[in-house]
Amino acid sequence: MRDSNRLQRLQQRPLWDFALALYAKPGVEQACLTLQDEAGIDVCELLFHCWLYEHGLAADPGSLKAIQEERYRWQQQVTATLRELRRTLKPQAAHNDDIKALRATLQKAELQAERENLQRWQQWALRSSVEEVRLTKSDINQHNVAQWLQDTLFSPPLDKRLSKAARVRENTQMALLALASQLDHCESPR
């Protein structure tokens, strides 16, 4: 893909800045936590796809596989480990100021790990080249964003992956709809 206007706009709004702004919108934090905790979604990848969508772009599925595996390892080995430690200490922190301070340190480290992960997603996207097309123009209709996110993030499809847990599937779909409602549809450059 060689759409210099879209790529330039992508470079001008770093993924981290986009993620912070989106996360602050009503319902997005809860939607992201639901998708992370109930459906096992990597929120950094989710935010990456939302960032691309808002710029009228999508990641090429063929090129995406290697970076997904790399970023998944980071999430599991670094971010999820910090998150689990922080969550494990929550009950103790209610009665112990030292543990409370430790949790705050772990939370800062977890946030920094997520920031690093988002920076790596961004670097990957911006290194798209003629030899390796990583990004394509998105033709996603604003009304189909939730379904597109679902299809992009769930392989196998959500219905097969969560077939035994109707409540989780419903919560996941509602979270995707809530998130999609907060995304701005990219207008074609003039």
Side-chain angles (χ1 to χ4, degrees), residues 32 35-44 46 153-154 161 172:
C32 288
L35 292 166
Q36 173 185 279
D37 294 342
E38 293 189 29
I41 290 298
D42 175 353
V43 171
C44 289
L46 170 68
L153 295 167
F154 289 96
R161 185 173 177 183
T172 299

Side-chain angles (χ1 to χ4, degrees), residues 58-66 68 124 133-134 136 152:
D60 176 70
S63 299
L64 193 59
K65 187 84 172 140
Q68 282 176 317
W124 177 85
V133 176
R134 295 177 175 181
T136 60
T152 300

Side-chain angles (χ1 to χ4, degrees), residues 12-22 115:
Q12 291 171 348
R13 186 164 191 208
L15 177 52
W16 176 252
D17 294 345
F18 167 83
L20 291 177
L22 180 62
R115 184 177 188 160

Side-chain angles (χ1 to χ4, degrees), residues 50-68:
C50 291
W51 178 63
L52 292 178
Y53 167 78
E54 281 211 354
H55 290 87
L57 300 167
D60 176 70
S63 299
L64 193 59
K65 187 84 172 140
I67 189 69
Q68 282 176 317

Side-chain angles (χ1 to χ4, degrees), residues 67-108:
I67 189 69
Q68 282 176 317
E69 291 172 5
E70 178 186 311
R71 298 295 83 231
Y72 177 79
R73 281 192 304 278
W74 175 269
Q75 284 295 91
Q76 293 307 302
Q77 294 170 357
V78 180
T79 310
T81 301
L82 292 167
R83 181 179 305 119
E84 182 62 30
L85 287 170
R86 178 180 56 81
R87 287 179 173 179
T88 299
L89 293 173
K90 187 175 182 176
Q92 295 174 45
H95 309 290
N96 184 318
D97 288 342
D98 291 334
I99 300 295
K100 186 176 183 177
L102 176 58
R103 276 191 86 239
T105 300
L106 288 169
Q107 188 170 26
K108 281 177 123 175

